Amino acid sequence: MASGLISTVERVQRICPNCGSKDRRRLARYSHDQWDNMQCASCDLIYLSEAPVYDALSEDLAWSKQFKTEQKRRKKTQPVVAWLDEKTRWRLHIHRDDEWAYISEKIRSGRVLDVGCGRGNRIPRPFIPFGIEIEKESAEQSNAAMAEHGGSVIHAPALEGLRQFDDGFFDGVIMRSYLEHEAHPRKVLEETYRTLRPGGVIYVKVPNFATINRVVRGREWCGFRFPDHLNYFTIKSLKAMAEGVGYDFELKNTMSRYTNDNMHCFLTRPG
C-alpha cells in the first residue's frame, strides 16, 4: 500500500470488538509504524486499534488492490523469501482440499451465503448462491454470476447486508478469508445466527495467530496485512467468540493447528 494513502486514510477508533473492553496492551512486535495491534486484557482477542472507514475499504483498500500491493512490498523487502515462495508454490497443492466444498461436508442443499464473496461465484452446486461484498466492482461481477443460479449479491458492509435477509433464510454461510477484515466480527456472527436455520452451518477460514510461523517471522508473518486485517484470531479466541454467540464450534484442521497459517472451522447453530 502506498505510504501516502496509509497515512491519510480516514480512520475510526476501536475498542475490543468481542467483549467491548477498553483495557488492552499494544503488541509492539506485531504493529505497523502507523497502525497498532492490541490485545484485549479481558478476552485476549488481538485487533487493530483503528479501522479504515467504509468508503476506503470499498474503493482504495479493496482486497483485490491490497493483495497486489502487499505482494510487491514483500518482493522488495524480502526478495529471497519471495523468490523461494514463488518457486515452491507446488507445496500448497499437496493434499489440498477444495475449500469451497467444505460447506458440503455439513449440508447437502439449500441457500448458501458467501460473506465477502469477491468476484464471480465459487459456491458449489447444487446450492443457491448469495453474496455480500463491500467492494463495488467485485459485487457487480459476482451478482451477475450468482443471478445465473437463482441468487444475488448485496453491495454493502456485512451487517447492513445481513439485515436484509429473513430469519432462518440460509442453510449455510461461507466466511472464507473474511472475518479478519470485519470491524464488528461478533455482531456479524450474531446477525448471521439469526439468518441461519436451526442446524445451519458457517464455514470459517481465518489467519491462525497461534501458528509457530507467526512467532518466527514476527511482523513479516504472511497473516499480517495493514490496515485491512482488523482482527487476528487464535483457536481459543475464535471458539470463545463463537460459543458466546451460541454456536457449536468445530476445528477442521486439528492436526495442523500450530503449523498451519490458517484455521478452518465450522460454526453450527444448534438444531
Side-chain angles (χ1 to χ4, degrees):
M1 182 178 179
S3 58
L5 179 56
I6 203 170
S7 302
T8 60
V9 64
E10 189 178 349
R11 317 171 184 205
V12 292
Q13 297 292 319
R14 305 176 75 207
I15 57 175
C16 178
N18 178 41
C19 69
S21 174
K22 297 180 180 179
D23 190 7
R24 61 195 186 178
R25 67 183 183 92
R26 181 175 181 267
L27 301 180
R29 188 183 182 215
Y30 303 117
S31 292
H32 187 276
D33 57 359
Q34 298 180 50
W35 300 86
D36 291 331
N37 265 321
M38 302 292 186
Q39 183 171 29
C40 178
S42 298
C43 71
D44 286 334
L45 182 71
I46 291 94
Y47 63 96
L48 217 59
S49 63
E50 299 174 302
V53 296
Y54 166 71
D55 287 344
L57 290 171
S58 181
E59 299 293 343
D60 294 326
L61 300 180
W63 181 89
S64 57
K65 297 178 181 178
Q66 278 287 82
F67 182 76
K68 293 178 181 178
T69 300
E70 181 64 8
Q71 277 188 320
K72 291 179 181 178
R73 187 195 71 79
R74 290 181 186 270
K75 284 184 178 181
K76 182 178 180 180
T77 60
Q78 298 179 297
V80 175
V81 173
W83 182 86
L84 284 171
D85 180 65
E86 184 177 339
K87 296 301 180 182
T88 60
R89 298 299 290 176
W90 52 266
R91 75 193 189 280
L92 301 177
H93 300 283
I94 299 176
H95 303 302
R96 182 174 182 175
D97 296 329
D98 180 2
E99 293 175 353
W100 296 103
Y102 281 170
I103 198 74
S104 303
E105 296 182 16
K106 297 295 182 180
I107 56 174
R108 300 302 178 190
S109 62
R111 294 183 287 246
V112 170
L113 173 68
D114 186 356
V115 184
C117 60
R119 305 183 180 197
N121 170 33
R122 300 181 180 88
I123 296 176
R125 294 184 179 183
F127 300 113
I128 302 171
F130 291 83
I132 299 174
E133 174 54 48
I134 197 171
E135 184 183 344
K136 185 178 179 181
E137 228 177 87
S138 295
E140 292 172 352
Q141 290 188 25
S142 55
N143 183 60
M146 291 188 185
E148 294 179 2
H149 299 279
S152 62
V153 174
I154 295 173
H155 170 228
L159 270 177
E160 181 183 320
L162 283 163
R163 287 167 181 157
Q164 299 183 43
F165 293 104
D166 294 334
D167 294 359
F169 184 80
F170 294 111
D171 297 276
V173 175
I174 295 171
M175 294 184 179
R176 182 185 182 276
S177 303
Y178 152 73
L179 207 58
E180 64 269 29
H181 297 268
E182 173 54 54
H184 307 287
R186 184 184 177 106
K187 290 182 179 178
V188 164
L189 290 181
E190 290 171 346
E191 192 64 19
T192 306
Y193 190 96
R194 178 191 65 79
T195 66
L196 271 176
R197 64 165 174 80
V201 179
I202 309 175
Y203 160 60
V204 177
K205 174 189 175 184
V206 290
N208 176 18
F209 191 81
T211 183
I212 295 171
N213 196 29
R214 183 266 304 169
V215 179
V216 174
R217 298 295 306 284
R219 198 173 66 180
E220 291 300 327
W221 175 51
C222 60
F224 288 125
R225 203 165 72 219
F226 300 94
D228 59 316
H229 281 193
L230 304 179
N231 316 294
Y232 295 96
F233 297 96
T234 62
I235 297 164
K236 181 180 177 181
S237 65
L238 182 57
K239 183 175 187 286
M241 181 184 291
E243 291 181 345
V245 173
Y247 294 100
D248 294 331
F249 177 91
E250 177 186 349
L251 179 67
K252 180 174 173 61
N253 58 311
T254 55
M255 298 299 291
S256 61
R257 59 190 299 156
Y258 299 119
T259 57
N260 195 329
D261 288 317
N262 295 293
M263 55 177 145
H264 304 267
C265 315
F266 292 117
L267 312 184
T268 302
R269 175 176 174 173

